[in-house]
Amino acid sequence: PKTDIVFLKVHKSASSTVMNVLFRFGETHNLTFAFPIGGGNQLFYPHHFLAKFVQGFSPQSPKQFNILCHHMRFLQPEVEKVVSSSAVYFSILRNPVQLMESSFAYYKGTSAFSHAHSLEEFLSQPFRFYNPADGDSHYARNLMTFDFGFNPDGEVSAKRVQLILNAIEAAFDLLLISEYFDESMVLLKEVLCWDLDSVVSFPLNIRDSSTKSHLSDTIVEKIKEWNKLDWEIYTYFNRTFWERIDRDIGRERMQQEVKVLRERQAELARTCLQGMGSVAPKDIKDSSLRPLQHGNARILGYNLKQGLDKETELMCRRLVTPELQYSSALYKKQFP
């Protein structure tokens, strides 16, 4: 199994669920994480990543960390200072249309979104609300482009798009697609040589559907236009994702693997969860399992079954622990 990993955690793209997979694997295999100085969950985002942001890094005696997965703005030469040269680099992308709808709810408090009553209003005259000079403007336009380290307001010429795609492709071994999450986990399992239970997960940091808004065709087109760079990145890597599946696994085996993964997930839900699924924040009985609530989004969580034996309880708890709580527990373990 591969133990040296860089995961670029792109915002609002099922990346908290992927992070849980990495946290669990790292914890059970005693691996070291590249934590932000002083803990926390972001490596001084939205600044470009620097090695000195990592707790325990020193240029005099560069220590290699196994897993780098906290929010950062990607800068490869700096990342290479904290992980082994054989590390596997991967990230996950999401359709920019759903990504923008999600960001609008989640980052409602940011300068670009706070004065727009609706996403529709924002998109009707984006520059009335959006100022690229604002420190938090990246949440409102080409967020994936930004997270990968590029300028989200740069020109959208065929040449520049090609340069961005080439740079991402050169840096990353694997780009997953959140709309095909189960297929993505199967592919990840293959690339990392992990077992099935290592990539099984319950969806984390997801919104209650009542806070999701329906998007008309007109809005969809406006979102694509406004996030043109993200759209180019997404459509290109969605295509290479399926090409990779065809080349390395084949559709038929992929279907079987996904089926096995889903069966195992359902089995774990029966074992671990009260009522099989996620619940509203107010219904989460154990406050340590309550996810951070943000913006206008209602973030769901889980209740564990009572009376589980110790080992099962621990396994189940790891599966449903929200990112911030899990991160801080691992940080305390690594830096007692």
Side-chain angles (χ1 to χ4, degrees):
K2 306 263 197 311
T3 52
D4 295 314
I5 293 155
V6 173
F7 171 54
L8 177 63
K9 186 174 189 291
V10 169
H11 287 76
K12 313 305 323 144
S13 303
S15 55
S16 296
T17 310
V18 177
M19 205 164 177
N20 177 272
V21 166
L22 296 174
F23 280 167
R24 283 171 13 228
F25 188 87
E27 184 179 19
T28 50
H29 293 79
N30 239 351
L31 304 177
T32 56
F33 289 88
F35 282 108
I37 287 178
N41 64 324
Q42 303 208 340
L43 288 150
F44 293 81
Y45 186 88
H47 298 286
H48 273 105
F49 176 80
L50 295 173
K52 67 175 187 190
F53 296 161
V54 173
Q55 175 100 36
F57 173 81
S58 104
Q60 288 72 43
S61 56
K63 175 180 178 309
Q64 306 262 291
F65 296 84
N66 298 116
I67 299 178
L68 173 61
C69 63
H70 286 73
H71 272 309
M72 63 170 160
R73 190 172 182 205
F74 190 65
L75 186 61
Q76 192 172 9
E78 289 289 317
V79 168
E80 285 170 348
K81 294 177 185 175
V82 299
V83 294
S84 126
S85 57
S86 62
V88 175
Y89 285 67
F90 81 100
S91 185
I92 186 163
L93 304 172
R94 183 181 185 186
N95 186 318
V97 175
Q98 276 69 49
L99 180 72
M100 177 130 202
E101 189 275 327
S102 177
S103 298
F104 188 80
Y106 202 79
Y107 301 116
K108 192 69 183 86
T110 59
S111 44
F113 290 153
S114 58
H115 298 295
H117 292 98
S118 63
L119 184 52
E120 214 158 336
E121 186 184 9
F122 175 85
L123 290 161
S124 64
Q125 291 174 294
F127 285 106
R128 217 181 98 203
F129 305 100
Y130 176 80
N131 176 2
D134 289 335
D136 57 6
S137 66
H138 56 279
Y139 290 118
R141 187 180 202 191
N142 291 314
L143 180 51
M144 293 192 285
T145 304
F146 183 88
D147 286 354
F148 276 97
F150 305 102
N151 175 6
D153 293 293
E155 59 159 349
V156 191
S157 63
K159 187 181 172 191
R160 180 161 183 260
V161 166
Q162 200 49 56
L163 286 171
I164 290 176
L165 296 176
N166 293 349
I168 295 174
E169 212 153 26
F172 287 84
D173 300 287
L174 181 63
L175 286 139
L176 305 174
I177 302 290
S178 69
E179 282 78 16
Y180 304 104
F181 191 80
D182 294 340
E183 288 84 353
S184 292
M185 290 302 99
V186 170
L187 202 49
L188 185 66
K189 170 173 85 74
E190 294 280 312
V191 170
L192 298 176
C193 308
W194 288 6
D195 64 6
L196 179 73
D197 271 12
S198 298
V199 299
V200 167
S201 62
F202 296 141
L204 295 176
N205 204 26
I206 52 165
R207 270 192 302 158
D208 180 352
S209 55
S210 69
T211 61
K212 296 181 183 172
S213 39
H214 170 74
L215 305 174
S216 68
D217 294 352
T218 323
I219 295 281
V220 168
E221 289 314 312
K222 281 183 178 168
I223 293 177
K224 287 183 194 172
E225 200 43 53
W226 177 245
N227 297 281
K228 193 88 173 79
L229 290 168
D230 271 11
W231 183 250
E232 294 287 347
I233 290 171
Y234 176 77
T235 47
Y236 178 79
F237 287 110
N238 185 18
R239 195 179 74 237
T240 59
F241 174 79
W242 289 101
E243 285 168 1
R244 175 122 187 208
I245 287 172
D246 289 336
R247 189 187 76 218
D248 296 352
I249 298 179
R251 297 283 169 117
E252 204 172 318
R253 179 156 86 85
M254 176 54 89
Q255 273 182 335
Q256 288 163 341
E257 295 258 358
V258 165
K259 186 169 173 277
V260 172
L261 178 69
R262 286 176 183 161
E263 281 165 1
R264 179 64 180 137
Q265 222 148 284
E267 188 185 336
L268 284 168
R270 285 192 295 274
T271 304
C272 296
L273 305 179
Q274 280 182 32
M276 288 289 288
S278 49
V279 295
K282 63 174 177 39
D283 299 324
I284 301 168
K285 299 184 182 77
D286 180 342
S287 60
S288 70
L289 297 179
R290 207 167 284 153
L292 173 77
Q293 302 299 313
H294 204 80
N296 286 348
R298 277 232 311 264
I299 307 297
L300 305 175
Y302 297 93
N303 285 317
L304 289 180
K305 272 193 178 155
Q306 301 295 298
L308 299 168
D309 66 80
K310 230 173 156 168
E311 202 180 321
T312 310
E313 212 266 345
L314 179 62
M315 174 198 67
C316 293
R317 182 168 285 275
R318 283 174 174 155
L319 278 163
V320 299
T321 298
E323 178 188 326
L324 301 188
Q325 289 94 311
Y326 208 152
S327 183
S328 98
L330 291 174
Y331 177 79
K332 287 183 189 125
K333 205 168 156 181
Q334 196 166 307
F335 300 101

